[in-house]
Amino acid sequence: MVALSSLIWCPVLLGILSWLAERRLRGAGNWVTLGALVLLLFVSFYLGAMGDSFVSLSWFSRFNIHFTLFYDGLAQLMVVMTLLLAMLALLVSWREIDRRHGFFHFNLMFSVAGINGVFLAADLFLFFLCWEAMLLPMTALILIWGHENRRYAAIKFFIFTQVSGLLMLLSIIALALFHQHSQGSLSFSLNELQYLDLPIDVQFWLMLGFFIAFAVKLPSVPFHTWLPDAHTQAPTAGSVLLAGILLKTGAYGLIRVLLPLFPEAAMSFAPVAVTLGVISIVYGALMAFSQTDFKRLVAYSSISHMGFILLALFSWQAIALQGAVLVMVAHGISSAGLFCVAGMLQHRLQSRELGEMGGLWASAPRMATVTLVFVMAGIGLPGLANFNGEFLSLLGSFAVYPLHAVAATLAIVGSALYGLRLFQRTFQGPVHTEVEDLQGRELLFCGLLVLALVYFGVQPHLILEASAASLDKLSALASFSEVRP
């Protein structure tokens, strides 16, 4: 119980400790936060070695709300990725943050606590609470440490997430009331609510409340407009957390909450969802190609890649579901790497404009090399992690939605165009300026990201085995819903 719940409350307490340590000694917050993340990583591996864990304590007994946590292979996969990318966010901002260092560390750890809560919660009230909790520190990261238009970006991010979250809250309350009507008591338990026998029209409207909340966070067209602004204006640490982790909470919500709760409604809505997925793939690629801002280009590419997850999940084929999980992990690594490069270039050049770059390979060959690997991963080069996810997503979805899968496949050409254009305009061509190459700490975390992309490119079974049990339940649920009269 203590070990599992510590993944939520420990980041908050250790974030406060980092804040206090930074006030006493400049730079101490970096080391306290790093140590805290390493400690939490060991806890997550310990829990994984113990097998599936389930904890439930009465919380608001009057409303039958419980502090319920569930830790299985899929949850472990997401928690470990959260902690590792939080370390990356810390390392890339080790010297970048120039004010209010202690408060920055607190917000970073508070974000980790909220995100871990989303991945662990098995009570919908707790899920919603953590969903909202991770919004506040992320808004603060953009608002306080962001760039020139940070206020606009932070407010837009907050409004989009808050409004969509309220729609999810209404659906949660309605589910609890339906449970009371049919069973005689309120319930927010994800496990108990899965057995509610709801009319299909009621399922559809409640499912829609969850879908909008998750599609905003994913994000999917037409709920995507907050993302380019938030990414562009966020500090590098904020961009790493947004692209690497926060977007994945939307995908995780679809897997863990929406599809199990509303299988029949999800199947009837699937043609719309997969169409939105393909539109996101194509639109994101086209918009990425038209950008001249490094971070904005990578932000639109994230919209395109997240479209594969929507396409795969609502195809509801076993192979496609596996592809969706692989895309979640691979995109978290490759996009985080590209945002790290964008942040390092902005720190050196005081600019994100591609027109002010060019020929940087001559002065920064190590940076150019790792960027090339990140770009190649993004465009789906075989042998790197992204290829496995996109290939399985397309292979599985083709069996159900062949035209959508073909359109998505053709759109991959767009990723090659904007990815190679990004690399060419930044590192090749006439030399416009010179920059310092990767040194020490930067070379370490960029090298680890490259190794991760290669390793999971040739060993994807490690990710698939971790998520197998959860995905098997979804596949079985889909088969049951198809034959149900």
Side-chain angles (χ1 to χ4, degrees):
M1 165 63 191
V2 175
L4 185 55
S5 62
S6 68
L7 292 173
I8 299 176
W9 56 263
C10 260
V12 178
L13 295 179
L14 293 172
I16 295 173
L17 179 61
S18 297
W19 190 358
L20 297 175
E22 185 67 34
R23 295 183 66 177
R24 294 183 64 88
L25 178 64
R26 182 178 176 84
N30 284 334
W31 293 104
V32 173
T33 303
L34 182 60
L37 292 170
V38 171
L39 175 63
L40 292 169
L41 190 62
F42 278 115
V43 172
S44 67
F45 284 128
Y46 167 76
L47 289 168
M50 299 294 291
D52 292 356
S53 302
F54 181 82
V55 170
S56 184
L57 293 176
S58 181
W59 195 8
F60 297 108
S61 56
R62 181 176 180 180
F63 301 103
N64 201 23
I65 295 173
H66 293 75
F67 187 84
T68 306
L69 304 177
F70 180 60
Y71 193 79
D72 64 353
L74 180 60
Q76 182 187 16
L77 182 65
M78 302 312 297
V79 168
V80 168
M81 188 168 74
T82 298
L83 296 172
L84 290 175
L85 290 182
M87 289 183 198
L88 175 63
L90 173 66
L91 291 172
V92 77
S93 59
W94 198 269
R95 296 193 181 97
E96 180 182 304
I97 301 303
D98 56 2
R99 61 188 182 279
R100 306 183 71 174
H101 300 81
F103 193 48
F104 169 81
H105 294 301
F106 171 74
N107 279 281
L108 178 64
M109 295 298 286
F110 195 177
S111 297
V112 170
I115 294 168
N116 281 350
V118 168
F119 292 144
L120 297 175
D123 180 279
L124 286 183
F125 181 84
L126 177 62
F127 181 89
F128 173 77
L129 185 65
C130 294
W131 186 269
E132 294 297 301
M134 67 182 179
L135 167 64
L136 298 175
M138 186 57 63
T139 302
L141 287 173
I142 300 171
L143 184 62
I144 299 174
W145 296 279
H147 304 303
E148 57 275 3
N149 294 319
R150 58 185 181 273
R151 289 181 177 84
Y152 170 77
I155 292 171
K156 191 174 183 179
F157 167 70
F158 184 86
I159 291 175
F160 266 76
T161 307
Q162 183 69 21
V163 171
S164 62
L166 290 176
L167 293 177
M168 180 170 64
L169 177 61
L170 291 176
S171 293
I172 291 172
I173 294 173
L175 275 173
L177 292 175
F178 271 108
H179 189 277
Q180 183 182 42
H181 178 73
S182 63
Q183 304 297 326
S185 64
L186 291 169
S187 178
F188 294 86
S189 167
L190 184 57
N191 184 55
E192 292 179 4
L193 293 174
Q194 290 181 33
Y195 296 101
L196 272 182
D197 188 13
L198 298 172
I200 187 63
D201 56 336
V202 174
Q203 268 199 48
F204 179 83
W205 289 108
L206 296 183
M207 179 274 298
L208 201 59
F210 283 96
F211 178 80
I212 292 175
F214 298 147
V216 166
K217 196 61 68 73
L218 197 58
S220 169
V221 173
F223 310 109
H224 67 284
T225 58
W226 64 270
L227 182 68
D229 294 311
H231 267 315
T232 304
Q233 301 305 322
T236 306
S239 294
V240 169
L241 290 177
L242 276 171
I245 307 170
L246 219 68
L247 306 190
K248 310 311 179 293
T249 59
Y252 184 84
L254 292 172
I255 296 173
R256 187 72 90 188
V257 179
L258 187 146
L259 296 180
L261 285 180
F262 313 105
E264 294 169 317
M267 285 185 171
S268 66
F269 186 69
V272 177
V274 297
T275 300
L276 289 177
V278 173
I279 292 174
S280 298
I281 294 169
V282 176
Y283 174 83
L286 290 174
M287 290 300 295
F289 184 76
S290 66
Q291 302 305 309
T292 60
D293 183 298
F294 195 122
K295 292 184 74 175
R296 203 169 184 87
L297 187 154
V298 181
Y300 275 110
S301 76
S302 294
I303 295 172
S304 182
H305 289 296
M306 292 299 98
F308 283 98
I309 293 178
L310 203 57
L311 171 64
L313 291 180
F314 279 87
S315 297
W316 221 335
Q317 299 294 301
I319 294 176
L321 295 175
Q322 293 172 349
V325 174
L326 288 174
V327 170
M328 290 167 65
V329 176
H331 176 265
I333 299 170
S334 60
S335 65
L338 284 172
F339 277 115
C340 286
V341 173
M344 290 183 290
L345 286 174
Q346 183 172 5
H347 184 70
R348 288 161 165 80
L349 299 174
Q350 306 304 312
S351 174
R352 301 183 302 268
E353 285 297 317
L354 299 179
E356 298 180 20
M357 302 177 191
L360 297 182
W361 189 300
S363 57
R366 291 190 290 271
M367 184 186 294
T369 301
V370 298
T371 305
L372 182 60
V373 176
F374 298 149
V375 169
M376 291 296 103
I379 67 178
L381 182 72
L384 298 177
N386 301 59
F387 170 78
N388 299 322
E390 293 179 2
F391 177 74
L392 292 181
S393 297
L394 293 170
L395 184 63
S397 60
F398 183 82
V400 188
Y401 299 101
L403 294 180
H404 293 78
V406 170
T409 303
L410 294 176
I412 294 179
V413 177
S415 68
L417 293 176
Y418 67 70
L420 295 175
R421 178 175 178 269
L422 170 68
F423 183 79
Q424 189 274 332
R425 295 195 62 181
T426 306
F427 292 100
Q428 297 181 318
V431 178
H432 290 177
T433 185
E434 294 184 353
V435 296
E436 181 186 12
D437 204 355
L438 298 181
Q439 302 293 328
R441 169 179 50 88
E442 299 170 332
L443 188 59
L444 172 64
F445 62 71
C446 285
L448 291 175
L449 290 174
V450 169
L451 289 176
L453 288 171
V454 174
Y455 184 76
F456 290 122
V458 297
Q459 298 288 344
H461 67 90
L462 296 174
I463 299 171
L464 297 178
E465 289 172 0
S467 58
S470 298
L471 299 184
D472 288 344
K473 291 178 183 177
L474 272 186
S475 298
L477 188 59
S479 300
F480 173 77
S481 299
E482 287 174 351
V483 301
R484 183 178 175 180

